[in-house]
Amino acid sequence: MAARQDLYQHPDYYLMDEMLSDEHKLIREATREWVKRDVSPIIEEYAQRAEFPKQLVKGLAEVGAFGPYIPTEYGGAGLDQISYGLMMMEIERGDSGVRSTCSVQSSLVMYPIYAYGSEEQRRKYLPKLASGEMLGSFGLTEPNFGSNPGGMVTNIKDMGDHYLLNGAKMWISNAPFCDIAVVWAKNEAGRIHGVIVERGMEGFTTPETHNKWSLRASATGELVFDNVKVPKENLLPNKSGLGAPLGCLDSARYGIAWGALGAAMDCYDTALRYSKERVQFDRPIGGFQLQQKKLAEMITEITKAQLLTLRLGQLKNEGRATTAQISMAKRNNVNMALEIAREARQMLGGMGITGDYPIMRHMMNLESVVTYEGTHDIHLLITGMDVTGLSAFK
Ligand code: TGC
Ligand code: FAD
């Protein structure tokens, strides 16, 4: 398959760039250049083969995409939340699966070790995770507990000098090759704790999930624990209860809100360029009112989402972004991106279903993004709960 030339130019209809600092723009440009050079030429082939391009790990670490907001003393990039968001936007512009790897590594593995871990755990794992020497995964979802993780049955038993871990996690990004997994399990009293499980521990296996039509350039699998002896020092000591994993999700969902924006912008940019080049009835198809309606609606939705997401980033920087605000942005942006991908795909006619253009890949990837980290419906119910004060889950 011939490598695709990446001609991407980002839409900025409301001059949002003027609201970014010079540092933000530098970080965004550096990430974009890396995506254009290292991701775009190879990603279609890897997605078609259903293989994670492991060679990207080094570059992701070098652009600072593993732990962008983790302090530098632990190997992170020490950046603000808007920088983190812009990186996720650029990386998902390349591919949602590559962004998934960064979300998991940064927000679901490094963040809990940083926020809930001991100083020894921080020093042992964070620098290696930041450099890409180690890759992590996050085990919350189980075969019978997806939207309702509080019902999990994976458990730890205190055996005196270690914990005995039993159970299974499903749909876990990066599971097949992770070096460590942050796993959520209940103790004898039913309290949820996080433990760090290392590859090589006896009884720990990570079978791969095959036959996905979505997120094909990301590896997904199970985490299976059969009487795994977990040393006591591997328990995250500083937070327990369902709020601990949900706190990690806040950070990952925030990154996904930015990421989905990137996928939407890539679909729009591709369709806009195509509409000016493709001639039917002796005119570029972009001159037809029906095609203009599609493009006008796309750029309107993208512009609204850009403003919503940047404001969320400002609130996150100030430590004021709420779970419900993050839910609204994740839900809105992923749905917006999915609708734009579907419309953009139609605008390319038959060419839209091929790997010569990125749209169909984005569209299929977004079917996972709209489901993981809380489904579209769950996020709606989080907003409903926030505005009414009444939980639809109980
Ligand atoms: P609920 O009673 O509402 O809450 C239980 C406790 O948690 C606290 N809490 C939070 N704390 C921090 N951050 C948050 N976002 C929090 N949300 C809730 C809450 O205050 C309470 O604390 P306490 O002290 O009173 O006990 O819980 P619930 O059982 O009713 O569930 C609520 C619900 C449905 C919203 C929650 O379970 C949920 O968000 N479900 C969706 C599950 C989900 O998102 N799974 C994602 C798995 S990871 C993943 O998909 C990774 S994909 C990665 C990739 O490849 O990019
Ligand atoms: P279910 O919870 O069974 O939901 C099925 C349907 O019912 C959905 O439409 C849902 O919205 C609806 N529903 C459920 N409850 C309600 C309700 N109360 N009211 C109304 N509707 C409801 N998990 C991890 O822990 N770590 C990972 O790294 C990870 N990576 C993933 C990667 C991929 C590619 C995918 C697809 C998933 C991943 N997940 C991961 C799991 C993901 O978070 C779950 O798939 C998601 O939370 C939904 O759970 P479920 O699939 O069991 O669906």
Side-chain angles (χ1 to χ4, degrees):
M1 184 182 303
R4 176 174 64 91
Q5 200 189 354
D6 186 347
L7 301 170
Y8 177 67
Q9 287 181 303
H10 87 278
D12 186 17
Y13 204 71
Y14 265 41
L15 312 182
M16 197 180 87
D17 270 19
E18 292 176 11
M19 296 159 78
L20 298 176
S21 68
D22 287 344
E23 189 186 35
H24 289 147
K25 283 185 259 188
L26 270 174
I27 288 163
R28 186 188 59 192
E29 295 319 308
T31 314
R32 181 172 305 167
E33 284 314 306
W34 177 76
V35 168
K36 280 195 172 189
R37 195 189 63 223
D38 286 9
V39 180
S40 301
I42 57 114
I43 195 63
E44 185 63 34
E45 201 180 323
Y46 277 82
Q48 295 274 1
R49 286 211 306 259
E51 184 182 334
F52 173 67
K54 277 195 186 147
Q55 72 273 25
L56 295 182
V57 166
K58 189 167 174 281
L60 284 167
E62 281 167 7
V63 296
F66 292 157
Y69 56 87
I70 298 292
T72 50
E73 63 174 304
Y74 298 109
L79 297 169
D80 74 347
Q81 291 290 330
I82 293 176
S83 304
Y84 167 47
L86 290 166
M87 279 184 187
M88 295 305 106
M89 180 177 84
E90 291 301 324
I91 292 169
E92 188 147 2
R93 211 273 304 168
D95 188 76
S96 305
V98 181
R99 194 271 307 136
S100 257
T101 291
C102 304
S103 295
V104 171
Q105 185 89 340
S106 300
S107 291
L108 300 182
V109 178
M110 295 178 75
Y111 173 78
I113 292 174
Y114 173 67
Y116 315 146
S118 66
E119 192 54 28
E120 292 71 34
Q121 290 168 342
R122 289 170 165 194
R123 302 232 170 256
K124 179 173 177 190
Y125 297 108
L126 292 178
K128 287 185 179 167
L129 290 161
S131 69
E133 191 184 327
M134 264 187 180
L135 284 177
S137 69
F138 176 87
L140 181 63
T141 306
E142 298 187 357
N144 293 322
F145 299 95
S147 297
N148 177 26
M152 71 175 67
V153 293
T154 296
N155 60 85
I156 45 170
K157 277 201 183 90
D158 190 335
M159 306 301 284
D161 61 341
H162 64 270
Y163 296 105
L164 206 55
L165 174 64
N166 277 290
K169 301 289 178 178
M170 195 179 176
W171 293 117
I172 307 304
S173 300
N174 295 351
F177 49 72
C178 66
D179 301 291
I180 61 167
V182 170
V183 177
W184 301 94
K186 282 182 179 164
N187 69 8
E188 293 92 330
R191 183 88 182 155
I192 293 171
H193 286 272
V195 288
I196 303 169
V197 180
E198 298 189 14
R199 185 169 295 280
M201 286 180 175
E202 210 179 320
F204 174 41
T205 49
T206 59
E208 184 158 2
T209 303
H210 295 289
N211 297 332
K212 293 182 300 170
W213 283 115
S214 172
L215 231 60
R216 289 171 62 82
S218 160
T220 313
E222 294 166 52
L223 303 173
V224 182
F225 315 105
D226 180 11
N227 285 322
V228 180
K229 283 184 180 177
V230 179
K232 285 229 154 147
E233 64 266 22
N234 282 29
L235 184 108
L236 299 175
N238 296 329
K239 191 160 166 113
S240 63
L242 186 57
L246 292 181
C248 307
L249 295 185
D250 273 357
S251 178
R253 290 167 177 172
Y254 165 77
I256 290 173
W258 281 95
L261 196 47
M265 284 156 66
D266 200 41
C267 292
Y268 167 78
D269 177 65
T270 305
L272 177 62
R273 190 171 308 106
Y274 191 85
S275 77
K276 293 180 194 168
E277 290 166 358
R278 175 69 177 167
V279 173
Q280 286 295 289
F281 300 97
D282 304 321
R283 288 163 58 187
I285 60 167
F288 295 121
Q289 289 182 3
L290 283 175
Q291 304 307 318
Q292 288 187 3
K293 177 174 186 288
K294 289 187 202 298
L295 290 166
E297 285 175 350
M298 285 181 203
I299 190 62
T300 305
E301 290 308 313
I302 285 171
T303 304
K304 282 153 63 180
Q306 284 172 329
L307 294 166
L308 174 91
T309 314
L310 181 60
R311 175 62 185 147
L312 184 68
Q314 291 167 343
L315 291 172
K316 195 111 180 30
N317 271 346
E318 295 165 10
R320 294 197 291 146
T322 65
T323 292
Q325 287 169 336
I326 293 168
S327 272
M328 182 185 280
K330 191 269 182 183
R331 179 176 186 272
N332 177 78
N333 291 10
V334 179
N335 190 54
M336 175 271 306
L338 198 44
E339 286 183 358
I340 286 178
R342 288 171 181 152
E343 291 290 299
R345 215 266 336 129
Q346 289 192 52
M347 286 188 66
L348 268 71
M351 289 311 292
I353 71 153
T354 72
D356 292 356
Y357 294 88
I359 296 176
M360 188 89 178
R361 181 169 41 81
H362 282 310
M363 192 175 99
M364 295 196 302
N365 282 343
L366 288 162
E367 291 291 347
S368 286
V369 184
V370 80
T371 293
Y372 68 34
E373 300 270 4
T375 67
H376 188 65
D377 288 339
I378 291 296
H379 287 296
L380 175 126
L381 295 175
I382 291 175
T383 307
M385 178 163 64
D386 193 50
V387 296
T388 63
L390 303 168
S391 171
F393 304 112
K394 308 250 191 276

